[in-house]
Amino acid sequence: MPVFYGKHIASPLMLGTAQYPSPAILADAFRASGAGIATVSLRREAGGGQDFLRLVEGLGAAILPNTAGCHSVKEAVTTAQMARELLGTDWIKLEVIGHSDLLSPDVFALVEAATELSAQGFKVFPYCTEDLSVAERLLRAGCEVLMPWGAPIGSGLGLNNPHGLRALRAAFPEVPLVVDAGIGRPSHAACAMELGFDAVLLNTAVAKAGDPVAMARAMAQAAKAGRAAYLADPIEPREMAAPSTPVIGKAFLQ
Amino acid sequence: MKLTINGERRELNAATVAEALAALDMGDARVATALNGDFVPAAARADTALSPGDALEIVAPMQGG
């Protein structure tokens, strides 16, 4: 099971809290899946914030506030500071968005913000790409976990670049890695875990499913199965067939 | 004085961030504040003075991915 900044988490599934049909379904999805971490945002208080706070604090999951929607270092740092005070955690899921269509990370601002927040004592979970040099810079900035995207946020496309994710796993064998964003189906979650990732973080795929509670459970099962498969050392694929039934001893029947 | 609170221009009788929260009936709410883009810790609200035209952001945890 994943360990982030020294904290053991009981599940490889990390779940967002947005877009559910109702607060009750949100709570049921967490209960059914046993997700270990819940992400939340910070938004202008217009009534409802206090009830939501009670709801997420009762989920039994560690809370990971995000800087979603921030496009600059300054915005992200201020948001992180407010989140730390409000939620009493120095964990921050750092998003600095670079492109509004793809919601892709602005990796330059991301490294800058990660450096600043680490210096201020934050434990940064950066939403990044699978680029190895960006990963190196984030680690140098003080990050002890990396969260590359699988595909654009909310797209449900799965893992756009499994080879890049595999390379990241190989390059940083000791660093906890999470596929964050893009997962649409349990098979995507299993695939990420089979690559040796420590956890998956998803939201839309569960919240917008026809039955979010059943999908949350399926995602948790898939993530656990993928992890078990990774640890079981799967065979390498090959181009040509290799008979699994012994050839020797086959009756001669012509 | 005229302030911009969560993006909305309004007239508020408050000299500090703490007074603004009280005037908005959020004195006891679990919220975080930023003034003109800079974080104002809860402990500093009573000593953080407001000036006309200031932009005050008041946030709470919400749904997020």
Side-chain angles (χ1 to χ4, degrees):
Chain A
M1 290 300 147
V3 180
F4 300 123
Y5 291 98
K7 186 177 171 71
H8 291 255
I9 301 296
S11 167
L13 180 66
M14 302 162 68
L15 207 49
T17 57
Q19 299 182 300
Y20 292 82
S22 72
I25 292 175
L26 158 64
D28 285 348
F30 271 82
R31 232 184 325 269
S33 65
I37 291 179
T39 56
V40 303
S41 70
L42 251 57
R43 290 292 179 262
R44 288 168 167 169
E45 173 62 297
Q50 307 303 302
D51 288 343
F52 180 72
L53 191 50
R54 275 188 289 276
L55 175 71
V56 292
E57 286 181 338
L59 292 176
I63 296 177
L64 175 61
N66 69 27
T67 64
C70 290
H71 288 255
S72 71
V73 173
K74 163 91 174 154
E75 271 184 299
V77 169
T78 302
T79 302
Q81 290 169 328
M82 292 195 288
R84 177 160 65 179
E85 181 182 86
L86 255 182
L87 294 158
T89 177
D90 46 16
W91 283 12
I92 188 75
K93 175 185 164 181
L94 181 60
E95 290 184 33
V96 188
I97 299 301
H99 193 284
S100 51
D101 285 341
L102 293 177
L103 298 179
S104 50
D106 175 342
V107 295
F108 303 95
L110 181 69
V111 170
E112 198 182 326
T115 305
E116 172 63 27
L117 288 170
S118 297
Q120 293 186 21
F122 283 91
K123 297 184 168 90
V124 178
F125 293 62
Y127 164 61
C128 56
T129 63
E130 67 277 24
D131 186 292
L132 292 186
S133 57
V134 170
E136 269 171 18
R137 282 169 170 77
L138 287 167
L139 295 173
R140 231 180 292 151
C143 298
E144 294 180 19
V145 50
L146 298 172
M147 302 208 298
W149 63 350
I153 295 170
S155 69
L157 285 171
L159 308 184
N160 273 355
N161 182 8
H163 303 287
L165 295 170
R166 191 193 296 271
L168 193 69
R169 179 69 290 171
F172 305 106
E174 305 300 326
V175 177
L177 297 178
V178 179
V179 167
D180 174 11
I183 287 175
R185 296 176 184 230
S187 53
H188 303 151
C191 188
M193 299 302 294
E194 285 172 16
L195 290 175
F197 275 65
D198 297 274
V200 290
L201 169 46
L202 53 103
N203 188 155
T204 309
V206 163
K208 302 297 266 187
D211 184 341
V213 178
M215 186 60 82
R217 192 182 295 117
M219 287 292 188
Q221 289 168 338
K224 282 178 190 154
R227 180 66 185 171
Y230 171 72
L231 295 174
D233 189 15
I235 64 163
E236 287 304 316
R238 48 179 287 156
E239 294 287 324
M240 304 299 280
S244 50
T245 303
V247 176
I248 296 170
K250 180 188 175 296
F252 187 77
L253 301 171
Q254 285 181 0
Chain B
M1 70 180 85
K2 279 198 166 50
L3 299 167
T4 302
I5 307 223
N6 282 350
E8 209 175 296
R9 286 177 61 97
R10 52 194 293 179
E11 182 75 30
L12 208 64
N13 186 18
T16 64
V17 172
E19 286 180 22
L21 284 178
L24 293 164
D25 220 13
M26 285 197 269
D28 297 324
R30 273 178 72 186
V31 292
T33 50
L35 185 62
N36 301 322
D38 288 320
F39 172 52
V40 179
R45 286 176 194 158
D47 297 325
T48 303
L50 296 171
S51 305
D54 275 354
L56 180 64
E57 294 286 331
I58 305 165
V59 301
M62 296 284 174
Q63 293 80 354

